[in-house]
Amino acid sequence: MVQVPVKIKRLLLDSGLVSEEHWNHAKSQGPNILENLLESGGLEPRVLIEAMSRSSNVPPVDLERVKPDSSAVEYVTQEACFENRILPLTINGEVLTLAVCDPFDVLLLDDLRRRTGCEVRQMVTDPLTMSKALESVFQTGRKQVDDLLDSVTNLGDIEVKEQADDQGQDDLAHATADGDDAPAVKLANLVLLRALRDKASDIHIEPTDSEMYIRFRVDGRMRLIMTPPKGLLNALISRLKILAQLDIAERFKPQDGKFQIKYEGRQIDFRLSILPVVGGEKAVMRILDAGNLALKLETMGYEPKALSDIRRAIDSPYGMMLITGPTGSGKSTTLYSCVQEVATPEINVTTVEDPVEYRMQGINQVPVNPKRGLTFAGALRSILRQDPDVVLVGEIRDTETAEIAVKAALTGHLVLSTLHTNDAASTITRLVDMGIDPFMVSSSLLCIGAQRLGRKLCESCRVPIEVPEKELLNVGYLPDEIPGMQLFGPGPQGCPRCNAGYKGRFAILETLFLEDSIKRMVVEGRNVLDIKKEAIAQGMISLRRAALLNAKRGRTSLQEVLRVTIGDD
């Protein structure tokens, strides 16, 4: 039963917008008194909204023209939205803007602040418009998907294929007995196509007890895209398993596979991971689109010092360069760009990867396969007998691989690889902790790069912001940089061209080139802080500093700088 707030009732009666007779008549028609008044014509939506807005000092919103941001909708559950007649509209930093039907409910406001951890900003609308908006947003799983499946009878610009074996591809048009008209086949194609058009890096298909959510990771942040009927889950997961040649009968063990599709004339790889969870099986797909690779180092957006250090390292005839950072920080893209720089007909380049993420012409790429006994260390030993000039090791995971990589770097090979550490300086101690002799580390290492990915501000809707001088000094800006400096932040509403004020990502890189003084410090066993201080004294631009420089240029926001980097202290 929907209870009409006393304040709204008194507002309507005292202002003469609704007579006592009309009120009682609407009450006799059912518990939804306000909706009954609106539907019968006894009260116009515009008049109700204006009255509530004026009395509560809360601005109105037209939900027929405003489209809620999917990233904001994720902050409040569907049940809470329907129960409280609210709808999240935008999320900007820690400010959540939502539409409400009762702007006088301060208890609800306090509860939402506590649940979301955000400052809540209200905009008022009427119950009828709210009902339509809630149905449009949350029933989109059934309504939108049914409409889309009916309309998407032929995805002419996407051809789904699978990796039949290591020799080639097979068309999957007839790989399922259900045929291309099956809803699960259409839905799978639709999800893949939408992800490619949205430039997503990952697709998440997540079941609950009663719902199924499909979310994309775009520019590093998760977005709710649709909520298809839960009844399609098993068929959808089975379709993906068929594409990746997994066991569709196995539903209680994790499975991993891969498949490939043809889109806009190029081949795109998908890595599929299936995990049993409460409510069914969850699927996550990593999208590996070689068309998105910026294979020119100068287009990566590095600081001149960092770009110079990388070029100096890859121009060396032997030695080792490591790129470090968390998963999803663009390490592989940087290494591929380096390989592309050095790959010529006169150079033999061989890679060992788990898995091979992007295929490159003229490069010998070896996929690790532990099930068949082919590990990083084993593959690396074999590669060194193949007369390589440049060796790319996808990741140094253990002491054995690290030892072979170091020895390869000392015996006339240029070795490129990745490692999981927080910054460039800590990579040195990590190698020593793995059992590599400090003298071997100092002799083999040429350059270490630590990388992060930051979101770029949308140039169409970014807005100038004012930041107190004390705060600018605290985050790392120098006193002589602050006068006249203009910083920008995301627009409060975003725009159709971006995702909540951001569009695309860029690389933030710090590079530590091992000069003689740093090599001596490594051999002496000096700590990370001493090494980092010496590197900065020699001109190293730290991650925080590189991010601050990009914020100063208007490329990103100060909030994004603080999100992806830590202070140099």
Side-chain angles (χ1 to χ4, degrees), residues 357-368:
E357 294 191 359
Y358 300 102
R359 298 182 184 180
M360 294 184 290
Q361 294 295 324
I363 308 295
N364 306 294
Q365 296 177 271
V366 179
V368 168

Side-chain angles (χ1 to χ4, degrees), residues 209-273:
D209 288 337
S210 58
E211 299 284 343
M212 171 171 51
Y213 299 103
I214 295 180
R215 299 196 293 167
F216 293 168
R217 187 176 295 279
V218 180
D219 293 339
R221 303 299 290 268
M222 296 291 287
R223 294 171 54 190
L224 178 65
I225 301 301
M226 62 179 77
T227 56
K230 178 69 181 293
L232 282 175
L233 175 66
N234 289 339
L236 177 59
I237 297 295
S238 294
R239 171 61 176 170
L240 296 175
K241 287 181 179 179
I242 289 173
L243 293 179
Q245 292 190 320
L246 300 179
D247 184 359
I248 62 173
E250 178 57 72
R251 294 187 175 179
F252 301 102
K253 291 182 181 179
Q255 296 188 69
D256 296 295
K258 61 183 179 179
F259 60 93
Q260 193 176 82
I261 68 171
K262 186 176 182 180
Y263 174 70
E264 293 183 345
R266 65 183 190 271
Q267 305 296 338
I268 298 173
D269 294 307
F270 287 75
R271 291 208 316 250
L272 172 66
S273 173

Side-chain angles (χ1 to χ4, degrees), residues 320 322 396 398-399 402-403 405-406 419 421 425-438 440-442 444-445 448:
M320 181 161 63
L322 297 177
I396 294 179
D398 51 48
T399 300
E403 289 176 344
V406 167
L419 201 62
T421 57
S426 61
T427 304
I428 295 172
T429 56
R430 174 68 188 281
L431 287 172
V432 174
D433 290 341
M434 293 176 73
I436 308 300
D437 185 270
M440 300 280 280
V441 173
S442 67
S444 60
L445 263 181
I448 306 167

Side-chain angles (χ1 to χ4, degrees), residues 155-161 169 189-200 259-270 287-292:
L155 298 174
D157 53 354
I158 181 172
E159 181 182 357
V160 182
K161 295 187 175 184
Q169 299 173 325
N189 290 1
L190 175 65
V191 169
L192 299 180
L193 181 62
R194 173 77 182 272
L196 292 172
R197 288 177 175 171
D198 287 0
K199 299 188 182 303
F259 60 93
Q260 193 176 82
I261 68 171
K262 186 176 182 180
Y263 174 70
E264 293 183 345
R266 65 183 190 271
Q267 305 296 338
I268 298 173
D269 294 307
F270 287 75
I287 302 174
L288 303 171
D289 183 1
N292 290 335

